[in-house]
Amino acid sequence: MTDFTPFEDLLRGHAGLLEDTTHDRWVRAQALFEERAYREAAVMLTDLLADPGDVVHELTDVRLLLARSLFHSAQLNGTIRVATELLEHDPNEPYAHLLLGRALQRKGQPDEAQPHLRLAELLGGYRS
C-alpha cells in the first residue's frame, strides 16, 4: 500500500462528501488483492457479500475473488466454503473448481480434490 491517503479517501466518511457505493467497495477490494493484502481484501469482500447494496445478480465475481483471497491467505476452510457456495450458484466456474481442489489438496484430502481438479482442467484448461 502507499504511504499517502488519496484525497477522495480523506473526504469519504469524514465530511460525508462522497458516497461509499457498492462499486467503490468492489474497486477497493480488487486493489487490496492486487497489493497482496489478501486478508484485508477478504474482510472487505465478506462485508460486500453481506450487504451487496444495489447488486442483484449472484455475485460470482465477488465470491471468486473472496475465495482467491482466502486461498492466498491460507484460510483453507474459508476457501472451501466460499468455493462450494460459488459452485452451487455457478457449477461451471472452472477457477472455483481449481481453488476448491487445491484447497482440499493442501488440507491433505487428495481424493476429494481430484474431481474438482479434473473439472478445472476440462472446463477452463487449468492444469494442476
Side-chain angles (χ1 to χ4, degrees):
M1 296 179 81
T2 59
D3 293 332
F4 66 94
T5 303
F7 181 69
E8 292 84 9
D9 289 346
L10 290 172
L11 292 177
R12 181 177 285 112
H14 296 288
L17 298 176
L18 294 177
E19 184 180 338
D20 189 29
T21 66
T22 302
H23 178 72
D24 293 335
R25 293 184 289 158
W26 168 241
V27 169
R28 282 198 312 277
Q30 289 175 308
L32 287 168
F33 183 87
E34 290 300 318
E35 294 171 359
R36 297 182 176 173
Y38 301 122
R39 287 186 183 275
E40 293 83 354
V43 169
M44 184 165 282
L45 291 162
T46 300
D47 291 344
L48 188 59
L49 281 174
D51 179 26
D54 56 353
V55 179
V56 293
H57 58 79
E58 292 297 331
L59 300 167
T60 298
D61 293 339
V62 176
R63 285 188 177 101
L64 189 57
L65 190 60
L66 175 56
R68 291 176 67 195
S69 297
L70 292 167
F71 183 80
H72 286 299
S73 61
Q75 298 178 61
L76 300 179
N77 290 333
T79 303
I80 292 167
R81 179 183 46 78
V82 172
T84 301
E85 289 172 4
L86 194 158
L87 290 169
E88 288 173 5
H89 294 283
D90 188 359
N92 296 320
E93 174 51 59
Y95 205 78
H97 282 289
L98 180 66
L99 288 169
L100 181 54
R102 294 254 173 95
L104 288 167
Q105 273 183 331
R106 285 173 101 183
K107 284 194 65 154
Q109 301 171 337
D111 294 338
E112 292 89 347
Q114 271 316 322
H116 294 289
L117 295 174
R118 278 193 222 114
L119 281 169
E121 186 172 349
L122 289 171
L123 295 171
Y126 296 109
R127 298 190 143 243
S128 54

